[in-house]
Amino acid sequence: MLNWNIIIIPFLISCVLTPAIKKYSIWAKAYAKENNRTVHHGIISRIGGIAIYCAFLITVTITMDPDQALMGIIYGGSIMFFTGLVDDLIDIRPPVKLFFQLIAAIVLIINGVSVDVIHLPFGIVIHNEIISVLFTIIWVAGITNSINLIDGLDGLAGGMSVIMLVVIASMAWMERRLDVAMLSFILAASTSGFLIYNSHPASIFMGDCGSLFLGFMISAISLLGFKGSTIVTLALPMLLLMIPIIDTLSAILRRTIKGMKFMQADKSHIHHLLMAQFGHTKTVIIMCGLTALFGMCAYVYLFNTKIGFAVMLLLLLGVEIFIEKSAMISEHFHPLMSLYAKIRKKMKFSHESS
């Protein structure tokens, strides 16, 4: 039976703390600055992640008996939270944030939360300690930054995170990983309480303290949940995180092609392109809907690998076509559309010849 306290307690704590943090932000002048990339106007707090962090930490302390792995996740998550909080208050350089992401990942590994075995397609299995450590660090840093990058619209990062966490919790419950399910539900409820105030038009933002903390926690919980169960594969957490992963990889390619720095921000992320066509609220709904669809793929994958893989390919095909049509990476980057044009041209030529 599900203990509803792990949902009710963090939700209420987050609901109560968020307005108090909004008032404190005015006194501390911890509010978001307007620039050419922002979509908000006015004075809005950017340290709402404090409510998510506190609600999560208090509830875990009350409802769970921590083991070494859980303590490693809490320590690592705290490192990410305070790194983000300092950045929200005084701004720190991207390499410094990346350094603390490395530290947080090492804390996880030391406490036994890492990828033990890497399962690749065609039955290929990699069991090497050095590769596992490197993969774990890349996974944590990649997912942490992915969630941070999508935090560009009201309710987007929080909404997508809640969907990911609920799906992870549900699958963990099916696999009888109650520790993973509890952690996921607690974090989802903590974020949901904050979302009441963060939905468009937002009166508070989670800031880097919230997005870095959420990104790290999702990466860590997915490692904890999928490394030792019967579904020993990274395919499932990768399905859930497909949208932020695609967005991050696209940003890397786009900035490399344009000669920009990797950490240099722009307004060509998926949510920016969608917002130009559909508006703020509809874009958040579309992004969260896509995340839910990839989550459903993960469920289907559990019961039938072939069908789940086929549905995933169809979704990825749709996302790729959007990326190419919107010139998200570059106006000259359209491999699938070019291939399709060549095939049509060849078929037309063959038809005319006959």
Side-chain angles (χ1 to χ4, degrees), residues 115-126:
V115 179
D116 292 334
V117 182
I118 300 173
H119 290 255
L120 299 175
F122 310 109
I124 300 172
V125 179
I126 299 176

Side-chain angles (χ1 to χ4, degrees), residues 36-100:
N36 62 340
R37 291 184 296 104
T38 56
V39 296
H40 76 278
H41 300 285
I43 297 175
I44 302 178
S45 167
R46 66 171 181 173
I47 55 173
I50 295 175
I52 299 173
Y53 175 75
C54 291
F56 173 81
L57 199 61
I58 292 169
T59 308
V60 167
T61 303
I62 294 172
T63 61
M64 297 186 70
D65 296 320
D67 57 10
Q68 185 180 4
L70 177 55
M71 291 308 299
I73 291 174
I74 291 173
Y75 291 146
S78 297
I79 291 171
M80 279 293 87
F81 167 75
F82 285 109
T83 299
L85 184 59
V86 172
D87 186 45
D88 289 331
L89 295 174
I90 62 173
D91 289 328
I92 56 178
R93 296 174 60 197
V96 176
K97 288 192 283 188
L98 197 59
F99 170 76
F100 281 106

Side-chain angles (χ1 to χ4, degrees), residues 119-120 135 139 143 163-175 177 180 218-219 221-223 225-245 290-309 312:
H119 290 255
L120 299 175
F135 191 92
W139 174 261
I143 301 306
I163 291 170
M164 294 174 199
L165 288 163
V166 169
V167 174
I168 290 173
S170 302
M171 289 194 295
W173 196 272
M174 291 170 60
E175 289 291 316
R177 288 299 307 268
V180 177
I218 290 171
S219 70
I221 291 171
S222 64
L223 285 176
F226 299 109
K227 76 165 192 169
S229 62
T230 57
I231 44 175
V232 193
T233 172
L234 283 174
L236 296 178
M238 284 183 74
L239 273 175
L240 296 174
L241 297 159
M242 193 57 71
I243 295 297
I245 288 173
L290 283 171
T291 303
L293 283 174
F294 277 110
M296 288 175 62
C297 281
Y299 270 118
V300 175
Y301 190 94
L302 275 176
F303 298 103
N304 192 307
T305 305
K306 291 181 179 178
I307 295 176
F309 189 70
M312 178 192 68

Side-chain angles (χ1 to χ4, degrees), residues 306-319:
K306 291 181 179 178
I307 295 176
F309 189 70
V311 176
M312 178 192 68
L313 285 179
L314 286 173
L315 283 172
L316 287 175
L317 179 62
V319 173

Side-chain angles (χ1 to χ4, degrees), residues 84-263:
L85 184 59
V86 172
D87 186 45
D88 289 331
L89 295 174
I90 62 173
D91 289 328
I92 56 178
R93 296 174 60 197
V96 176
K97 288 192 283 188
L98 197 59
F99 170 76
F100 281 106
Q101 288 170 22
L102 173 64
I103 298 298
I106 291 172
V107 168
L108 270 186
I109 294 167
I110 291 173
N111 286 278
V113 182
S114 63
V115 179
D116 292 334
V117 182
I118 300 173
H119 290 255
L120 299 175
F122 310 109
I124 300 172
V125 179
I126 299 176
H127 197 301
N128 180 282
E129 188 174 348
I130 295 175
I131 294 176
S132 295
V133 168
L134 288 174
F135 191 92
T136 300
I137 291 171
I138 293 170
W139 174 261
V140 171
I143 301 306
T144 301
N145 283 301
S146 295
I147 300 299
N148 184 240
L149 283 174
I150 63 171
D151 186 27
L153 298 180
D154 299 348
L156 181 58
M160 290 177 67
S161 295
V162 168
I163 291 170
M164 294 174 199
L165 288 163
V166 169
V167 174
I168 290 173
S170 302
M171 289 194 295
W173 196 272
M174 291 170 60
E175 289 291 316
R176 300 187 184 281
R177 288 299 307 268
L178 300 186
D179 56 338
V180 177
M182 286 181 69
L183 273 178
S184 301
F185 277 131
I186 291 170
L187 188 54
S190 301
T191 308
S192 296
F194 165 78
L195 275 175
I196 292 175
Y197 307 91
N198 183 237
S199 299
H200 186 66
S203 60
I204 186 170
F205 298 143
M206 67 171 65
D208 274 10
C209 65
S211 60
L212 290 178
F213 174 67
L214 276 177
F216 175 85
M217 292 301 295
I218 290 171
S219 70
I221 291 171
S222 64
L223 285 176
L224 182 65
F226 299 109
K227 76 165 192 169
S229 62
T230 57
I231 44 175
V232 193
T233 172
L234 283 174
L236 296 178
M238 284 183 74
L239 273 175
L240 296 174
L241 297 159
M242 193 57 71
I243 295 297
I245 288 173
I246 290 171
D247 193 41
T248 302
L249 293 176
S250 298
I252 292 171
L253 281 173
R254 179 175 64 252
R255 292 166 188 175
T256 302
I257 291 171
K258 292 181 178 179
M260 298 168 62
K261 293 180 180 179
F262 168 66
M263 293 291 187

